[in-house]
Amino acid sequence: MFGIVRPCSHRLGEGLKTQWMAHLCGLCLALRGDHGQFARVVTNYDGLLISVLTEAQAERTTGWRRTAGPCPLRGMRTASVAQGEGARLAAAVSLVLASAKVRDHVADKDGLLARRPVALAARRVAASWGRAGARTGSDVGFDTAVLVDAVDRQVGIEALAGPGTPLLTVTEPTETATAAAFAHTAVLAGRPGNAEPLAEAGRLFGRLAHLLDAVEDRETDAASGAWNPLTATGTPLVEARRLAADALHGIRLALREVEFTDGKLAHLLLAHELGRSVDRAFGTSGCGHQAHADGARGAFGPPQHGGPYNPQSPQSPYGGQNPYGGDGNPFGGAPSFPPPGPGRRGFWAGCAAAIGVCCTCKVCCADEFEGPWSRKRREGCLGNCDCNCCEACEICECCECCSCCDCGL
C-alpha cells in the first residue's frame, strides 16, 4: 500500500479508525469485485480519499456500508466496509494511476523492469489496468481520459524540463488529474456546488503529492540516476518546502467552502494528517505536542545530569567507593552483556511465519510485529505513531483541535 496520507491510529481514535478501515477495505473489495483478485495490489492510502470525500458529502442512507466476509488481512474477521459509487470511483482512479506508474517504471528501466521479458509483462498489466479503470470510471460517470491525458503530457513535460523550468510546470498534469477526481465526488454525492472548491483542493493535493514524492525519492534517484523533478529543475529544498506549505494552506481554505454531511474524517486526513505528511517528508516535527519529546520535563522537573537514576549519565550510588570494586557490578566488575537476539529464519520457515503474520492481521493492525525472516521488530501499518505523544493524541481528534491549524473548520 502506498500513499502520502498515512494516519497514526492513536490520532484517529477508535471511531475514525473504524471509518478509515471501512474505506480502505471498501476500495480493496471494489477492486476485487470489478477486476479480480490481482487488481487488489493497487489498493493505496491516497485512493481511499475519493471514497471518504464522496461519503462525507452524501446524505446518510443504508446503502453506504455492507458487512464483508472474513479476510486474512483482518485476522479472518468480518467488518463493515464502504461500498457504492465512491468506492468504485476510487478503484477506477487507483487503477489508471497505477497503470501510469508501472509504465513510468518500465520507461525508467527500474530494477527487474530493465529485463525485456519482465518489462513486456509489466506493460501488458499496465494496459489491462488502464482499460479496467476506464470501464469502471464510465460506469460511475467519470471520464478517465483526463487522467490518461495528464499522464501522457507528464512524459513530454519531463523530457523538456531542465534547470530554470518552474517546478509547478512539472506538477501541472498531476494537479489536473487529481482535481478532476476530487470534483467528481461532488457529482456522485449530489452536491454540484461542492465541485469547484473540491477541484481546487484536488489540484493542490496533486501538487503536494508530486512534491513529496520528489523530496522522498531525491537521494535514491540521485544514486540510481533516475529523473527527479527537484534535481532536473534545480529547485532547492527550501523552495519545495514553501510550495508544499502554500499548497497545504490552500487545501485548508478550499475545505472551508465545501458543504459536508459529516466531514470529520475528510477534515482530519486532508487538514491534519496531510500536514504531518509534509513534516515527515521534509524531516521536521509532525506534531505540536512536544511535551514527551527528547529532553522534555517530567512531572518532577527536567531530568538531572547525574545520579544513579539518570539513564543518560548513570553514576554509582556509592559515589565511587563501591564496596564490591569494579564499576558497580557486585560480581567482580565484569561487564554484562545483553542476551543474544533470535537468529534469522530460513526461507521456508520465514514463509510460514509470514502467512501467520498476515492471517493474524499484525501487518495492518498491530503496533509492531516480528519480521518473518529477520525476526526484527517491525511497525504495523496503523501503528506508525510519529507524534511522540500517543497518550495525549486524543485531543487531536477531529474537529476539536482546529485551533492547531488555520483551517477554521
Side-chain angles (χ1 to χ4, degrees):
M1 299 177 189
F2 50 94
I4 63 172
V5 183
R6 303 190 293 271
C8 168
S9 60
H10 298 93
R11 287 192 294 263
L12 284 175
E14 193 59 36
L16 293 181
K17 177 183 175 182
T18 300
Q19 289 186 40
W20 189 80
M21 287 297 297
H23 288 284
L24 183 63
C25 292
L27 170 58
C28 181
L29 293 175
L31 287 164
R32 185 198 67 178
D34 287 345
H35 309 294
Q37 290 283 0
F38 184 65
R40 300 171 81 176
V41 302
V42 308
T43 302
N44 66 95
Y45 295 139
D46 292 346
L48 69 86
L49 288 173
I50 302 297
S51 179
V52 170
L53 284 171
T54 304
E55 185 175 282
Q57 300 170 76
E59 297 296 333
R60 288 292 170 261
T61 64
T62 58
W64 289 96
R65 289 283 191 273
R66 71 177 180 89
T67 301
C71 174
L73 296 180
R74 291 193 299 269
M76 300 308 294
R77 297 189 299 268
T78 60
S80 175
V81 303
Q83 67 170 350
E85 293 183 330
R88 297 191 70 200
L89 175 61
V93 172
S94 296
L95 279 167
V96 173
L97 296 183
S99 170
K101 192 73 171 179
V102 170
R103 291 201 301 270
D104 184 53
H105 285 306
V106 170
D108 291 341
K109 297 181 179 180
D110 292 337
L112 290 175
L113 295 175
R115 301 180 180 181
R116 292 188 61 185
V118 179
L120 179 61
R123 287 194 188 96
R124 290 180 177 176
V125 170
S128 174
W129 282 349
R131 292 191 297 269
R135 288 196 304 270
T136 300
S138 178
D139 290 344
V140 296
F142 180 66
D143 186 1
T144 58
V146 65
L147 306 184
V148 176
D149 176 68
V151 171
D152 292 341
R153 286 190 296 108
Q154 186 75 54
V155 176
I157 290 173
E158 291 182 358
L160 296 175
T165 301
L167 188 58
L168 298 188
T169 299
V170 179
T171 63
E172 181 275 323
T174 306
E175 296 177 22
T176 301
T178 50
F182 273 46
H184 196 68
T185 65
V187 176
L188 295 183
R191 292 187 183 270
N194 286 343
E196 185 175 347
L198 283 175
E200 176 67 5
R203 182 180 68 83
L204 295 173
F205 179 84
R207 176 183 301 178
L208 202 50
H210 204 134
L211 285 172
L212 298 190
D213 183 64
V215 170
E216 292 177 343
D217 293 346
R218 192 169 62 102
E219 293 183 1
T220 304
D221 290 344
S224 63
W227 194 90
N228 184 283
L230 298 179
T231 305
T233 60
T235 304
L237 280 179
V238 173
E239 175 63 10
R241 185 68 171 86
R242 185 190 67 81
L243 292 173
D246 287 348
L248 180 61
H249 180 67
I251 289 171
R252 289 169 173 170
L253 292 177
L255 289 178
R256 291 181 180 180
E257 308 301 322
V258 180
E259 184 179 352
F260 289 116
T261 301
D262 181 1
K264 287 185 178 181
L265 181 59
H267 168 71
L268 185 142
L269 295 176
L270 289 171
H272 293 265
E273 292 301 330
L274 194 54
R276 293 186 175 96
S277 298
V278 172
D279 292 325
R280 184 169 56 240
F282 285 93
T284 55
S285 174
C287 183
H289 308 83
Q290 293 303 314
H292 297 269
D294 292 341
R297 290 177 176 267
F300 302 99
Q304 302 299 316
H305 295 287
Y309 306 109
N310 180 12
Q312 301 300 325
S313 181
Q315 294 180 357
S316 170
Y318 302 102
Q321 301 298 322
N322 180 8
Y324 300 103
D327 58 356
N329 186 342
F331 301 102
S336 60
F337 297 94
R344 290 178 58 88
R345 289 189 179 96
F347 176 75
W348 294 113
C351 289
I355 293 173
V357 167
C358 290
C359 290
T360 55
C361 202
K362 289 184 177 180
V363 173
C364 289
C365 301
D367 286 343
E368 62 177 26
F369 62 94
E370 185 182 83
W373 286 274
S374 67
R375 306 191 77 170
K376 295 179 180 178
R377 305 307 298 176
R378 306 292 187 191
E379 290 183 343
C381 295
L382 299 183
N384 182 22
C385 181
D386 57 4
C387 59
N388 296 321
C389 57
C390 295
E391 67 271 23
C393 278
E394 286 78 10
I395 64 173
C396 286
E397 280 198 38
C398 191
C399 291
E400 298 174 1
C401 68
C402 292
S403 60
C404 70
C405 70
D406 57 355
C407 57
L409 292 177

